Amino acid sequence: MVAITTSPPSTLSLQSCNHSIVVNGLCLSCHQRMPDNYGVAFDYIFEGLRLSLDEIARLKVTNSNKAFGQKKLHLVLDLDHTLLHTKAFEMLTPDELYLKEQTDSDTSNGSLFVFEHHYLVKLRPFVRTFLKEVSSMFHIYVCSTGSRFYVKKLAKFLDPEGNYFHTRLIACEDLGQRVRKSLNLVLSQQRDIVIVDDTQSVWSDYLDNLITVKRYKYFTDHDGNSNSKSYAEMKTDESESEGELVNVLGVLRRIHGWFFDTVMDVKDVRNLTF
């Protein structure tokens, strides 16, 4: 994602170096030691990477233009309640315990998995087809308030061969433990980024980029807002052919078509009504 080139220290003075790319505290161009808080951390790309504000701005434009040449936009996806639902074993209701004996071992085809020996992970119906289809139109990021360990592990269930997300997994460590999410770490211009999330409030600064989806709740909801039986208790699920992700895929196709088929000087997904 980030093309890194270096120049020998002898050919580059400290005065002329922009310190665009810093890894583990050292500028890759001039090898000068930089402050720990220099620039912005991009550890999700690789550990210890920091980019200057100018380099971030340059990369956002460069990556957008490169994506346009491929007829692609950028898509930021939430994990929990958008693409999947996770539940701790001890929180399962008596009518959901049967699921512990029905988990899948094949991550390329299954939909119900055990995570860290104590959790069940249920993929949303249609999610595999959804990811395959949108990957032909978008470069896909994941942005979650979960830990990096959690996000990486769950992404493996969705993308076991690494075809869709690559290193584009933004976790709470990247967001600075904040409750709200940000597009600052997405290396593309805001005008070509679409967000899909079940929670609107975490994207309050980016509502024009957001498609809000119905929460996927496969297991019983313990937040006190529902007395109805869960999909798991009823041994059913959201529709594979008419569910939320099918509808979202249709919207994303229309956005992509408008962006690349409409003749305009400057196109911006924020001008659309999702």
Side-chain angles (χ1 to χ4, degrees):
M1 181 184 299
V2 180
I4 297 176
T5 58
T6 63
S7 300
S10 60
T11 65
L12 190 64
S13 70
L14 298 185
Q15 289 75 21
S16 64
C17 183
N18 293 320
H19 312 303
S20 298
I21 302 171
V22 174
V23 177
N24 296 324
L26 291 178
C27 173
L28 281 192
S29 294
C30 70
H31 295 190
Q32 181 180 350
R33 173 66 62 179
M34 304 302 296
D36 291 341
N37 62 349
Y38 180 81
V40 178
F42 280 80
D43 290 312
Y44 77 87
I45 297 177
F46 59 80
E47 189 72 24
L49 174 65
R50 300 187 73 90
L51 302 176
S52 69
L53 296 181
D54 286 344
E55 180 67 2
I56 294 169
R58 186 191 71 81
L59 285 171
K60 283 178 176 281
V61 174
T62 298
N63 288 340
S64 285
N65 290 336
K66 182 179 179 180
F68 296 159
Q70 300 167 336
K71 280 204 165 184
K72 285 191 173 186
L73 302 174
H74 288 80
L75 178 65
V76 177
L77 298 174
D78 173 49
L79 275 181
D80 295 287
H81 296 295
T82 297
L83 302 181
L84 48 80
H85 192 189
T86 304
K87 188 82 170 285
F89 284 172
E90 60 266 26
M91 297 297 290
L92 294 171
T93 67
D95 290 337
E96 294 172 338
L97 290 175
Y98 74 95
L99 292 168
K100 294 170 66 174
E101 309 302 322
Q102 296 189 5
T103 58
D104 300 302
S105 57
D106 182 1
T107 56
S108 62
N109 292 304
S111 66
L112 181 68
F113 305 100
V114 175
F115 166 60
E116 288 298 293
H117 309 292
H118 299 292
Y119 299 87
L120 286 179
V121 178
K122 176 63 175 65
L123 305 190
R124 194 167 201 164
F126 193 69
V127 69
R128 295 189 186 279
T129 302
F130 173 81
L131 291 173
K132 181 179 179 180
E133 292 292 324
V134 297
S135 68
S136 67
M137 301 179 287
F138 296 82
H139 293 298
I140 307 174
Y141 283 77
V142 166
C143 185
S144 170
T145 54
S147 70
R148 193 182 311 286
F149 175 81
Y150 177 83
V151 171
K152 283 188 173 182
K153 288 289 187 179
L154 265 61
K156 281 289 187 181
F157 294 128
L158 292 162
D159 185 16
E161 297 181 2
N163 294 325
Y164 308 130
F165 307 140
H166 305 286
T167 65
R168 298 186 293 265
L169 303 172
I170 300 173
C172 69
E173 292 91 336
D174 304 298
L175 297 170
Q177 310 296 329
R178 291 173 294 180
V179 176
R180 291 200 300 177
K181 298 179 181 178
S182 170
L183 293 181
N184 291 342
L185 295 176
V186 178
L187 290 176
S188 183
Q189 297 176 97
Q190 193 175 337
R191 71 186 183 97
D192 68 278
I193 301 173
V194 180
I195 305 164
V196 176
D197 201 313
D198 68 281
T199 306
Q200 184 182 83
S201 59
V202 297
W203 292 106
S204 57
D205 294 331
Y206 305 95
L207 295 181
D208 290 339
N209 297 81
L210 176 65
I211 300 173
T212 306
V213 297
K214 181 180 178 181
R215 288 170 66 86
Y216 179 54
K217 295 185 290 188
Y218 180 74
F219 305 104
T220 299
D221 187 354
H222 289 284
D223 62 7
N225 293 328
S226 175
N227 294 318
S228 60
K229 284 186 173 291
S230 67
Y231 283 132
E233 290 176 321
M234 295 187 294
K235 298 184 179 181
T236 185
D237 206 346
E238 185 178 274
S239 172
E240 177 83 21
S241 60
E242 299 179 355
E244 194 73 357
L245 293 182
V246 178
N247 297 330
V248 173
L249 177 59
V251 175
L252 292 174
R253 282 174 173 158
R254 291 195 293 273
I255 292 171
H256 182 271
W258 172 86
F259 199 95
F260 290 104
D261 296 339
T262 303
V263 178
M264 296 176 64
D265 291 335
V266 179
K267 299 175 184 177
D268 193 325
V269 298
R270 293 170 292 183
N271 293 333
L272 298 173
T273 301
F274 300 152

